[in-house]
Amino acid sequence: MEHRLEPAPPEPSPWLASARGLAITAFALFAALLLGVALLQVAAAAGLPIATLGDASTPMTARTFAIAAALSSAALLAVAAGLSLRLRGPTPWRIPRGSAAATVAAAVVVFGLNFAGARIMEALGEPYALAGIFREGGARWPVLASAVLLAPIAEEWFFREILLVRAFAGAPRWLAVAVTSAAFGAMHVEAGALVLVTTLTAMGAVLAWVRLRTGSLGAAIAAHAANNLIVAILMLS
């Protein structure tokens, strides 16, 4: 009896893959925003001290920021986890041998971008909503943990794994990097304005490069965390 191999399904066209990536990205950002707002409302109803960057009625202290940042990261993690059930694939957490140089280079470039952006913001008088939080006492360590541990893991898994690699699979790489980096920058718009968003968009592009260059999400997380740690130390001092 003759056995014939079934033909492999055709690969989606770059245009179709690009449209799919854009649609998933828009849905993911909207879902994360709605879930983040819902979590903040639940926390406020439970009596937790909550302040958002655009809320002038409640002072943004280290404690209120730490809680809000943790809930925002939880929203990103939840949406990423949900999408990962549909966009299946292995998550390369481990940093492979030979990727240290690229990881360190990405961390250095990202810090350089943030340092230059901070100087430009200062020169132009662009406000930065988080400037004084690290200098406060009390909840300093929860803020540090959120910035150095929770945020890099949540943001890198959401932007550089679920969206960049899986949602835009088959799409032109430049489009995947551009869209996910712009989305990453725009997500931080409440903390600053044009210079901050531009700086973080460029930061997102560098982190996308190290994710694709090394094939490791762990490398992107390490570069992101190293930058946040250095920035936090400078702000604490």
Side-chain angles (χ1 to χ4, degrees), residues 40-223:
L40 288 171
Q41 291 179 342
V42 170
L48 293 176
I50 296 295
T52 59
L53 295 177
D55 181 13
S57 62
T58 305
M60 176 61 75
T61 65
R63 186 182 181 191
T64 58
F65 169 78
I67 295 173
L71 294 177
S72 298
S73 294
L76 290 179
L77 289 171
V79 173
L83 287 174
S84 69
L85 299 177
R86 179 66 178 84
L87 307 173
R88 295 182 181 276
T91 301
W93 299 103
R94 188 178 65 86
I95 303 176
R97 291 183 179 180
S99 299
T103 304
V104 172
V108 170
V109 173
V110 164
F111 175 72
L113 288 170
N114 278 276
F115 183 82
R119 298 287 77 78
I120 296 173
M121 289 173 65
E122 184 178 358
L124 297 179
E126 179 176 304
Y128 180 49
L130 308 180
I133 288 178
F134 281 94
R135 297 189 177 93
E136 296 182 13
R140 178 181 297 176
W141 293 113
V143 171
L144 192 61
S146 175
V148 178
L149 295 177
L150 187 56
I153 293 173
E155 292 174 1
E156 293 310 306
W157 190 31
F158 183 87
F159 286 101
R160 254 65 69 177
E161 182 63 31
I162 300 301
L163 298 184
L164 174 68
V165 174
R166 301 192 196 182
F168 278 95
R173 183 165 290 183
W174 66 266
L175 179 65
V177 172
V179 171
T180 56
S181 300
F184 176 72
M187 188 187 70
H188 297 83
V189 68
E190 284 188 331
L194 179 60
V195 176
L196 178 66
V197 171
T198 302
T199 299
L200 294 181
T201 298
M203 173 180 171
V206 175
L207 293 171
W209 171 82
V210 75
R211 167 63 182 89
L212 297 172
R213 175 71 174 80
T214 64
S216 168
L217 181 64
I221 293 174

Side-chain angles (χ1 to χ4, degrees), residues 208-236:
W209 171 82
V210 75
R211 167 63 182 89
L212 297 172
R213 175 71 174 80
T214 64
S216 168
L217 181 64
I221 293 174
H224 192 157
N227 167 77
N228 287 10
L229 177 61
I230 296 172
V231 171
I233 290 173
L234 292 177
M235 294 182 74
L236 284 170

